[in-house]
Amino acid sequence: MNSLDIAILSLVCMVVGVVISKIWIGASQVAAFQAAIAKAKQDVNNVGVNVRNNDRKANRRNQQMVAAQLDIHAENPKAIRRISTLLKDDSWE
């Protein structure tokens, strides 16, 4: 082997090493992106669950308030009609 063959061989080895390192870096970045996307999806799902739970709590609280209003004003048909109208129109003031 002469010096030209050694130079070409070392150049080829260096190029192969660079290509392998670029592939390795790309694969690790893809894995990191996939993990970040999976975490973001999980966070979005958790937020959705929390929103649904809060909506349920608010809805129950509103139903209890309406039931209490109806109990309080059971003797007053005008007040019951007003509450009924608000419930039908969904336009609380």
Side-chain angles (χ1 to χ4, degrees):
M1 277 186 134
N2 60 18
S3 62
L4 182 60
D5 292 338
I6 294 173
I8 291 173
L9 183 61
S10 65
L11 179 63
V12 168
C13 288
M14 184 184 69
V15 169
V16 168
V18 168
V19 168
I20 289 173
S21 67
K22 292 290 184 181
I23 290 171
W24 185 268
I25 289 170
S28 64
Q29 286 177 344
V30 167
F33 287 146
Q34 288 174 340
I37 289 170
K39 184 181 180 322
K41 285 181 180 179
Q42 185 61 42
D43 290 346
V44 166
N45 288 340
N46 290 340
V47 168
V49 166
N50 289 339
V51 167
R52 280 191 301 276
N53 288 340
N54 286 338
D55 284 348
R56 288 185 193 125
K57 288 178 187 175
N59 191 27
R60 280 196 307 269
R61 186 172 46 251
N62 289 339
Q63 288 174 345
Q64 290 171 354
M65 288 171 46
V66 168
Q69 288 292 319
L70 289 173
D71 286 343
I72 290 170
H73 298 295
E75 300 295 322
N76 186 350
K78 187 176 179 182
I80 291 177
R81 226 177 292 118
R82 175 72 177 139
I83 293 170
S84 175
T85 302
L86 288 172
L87 285 173
K88 287 177 188 171
D89 293 343
D90 195 28
S91 58
W92 292 89
E93 297 173 355

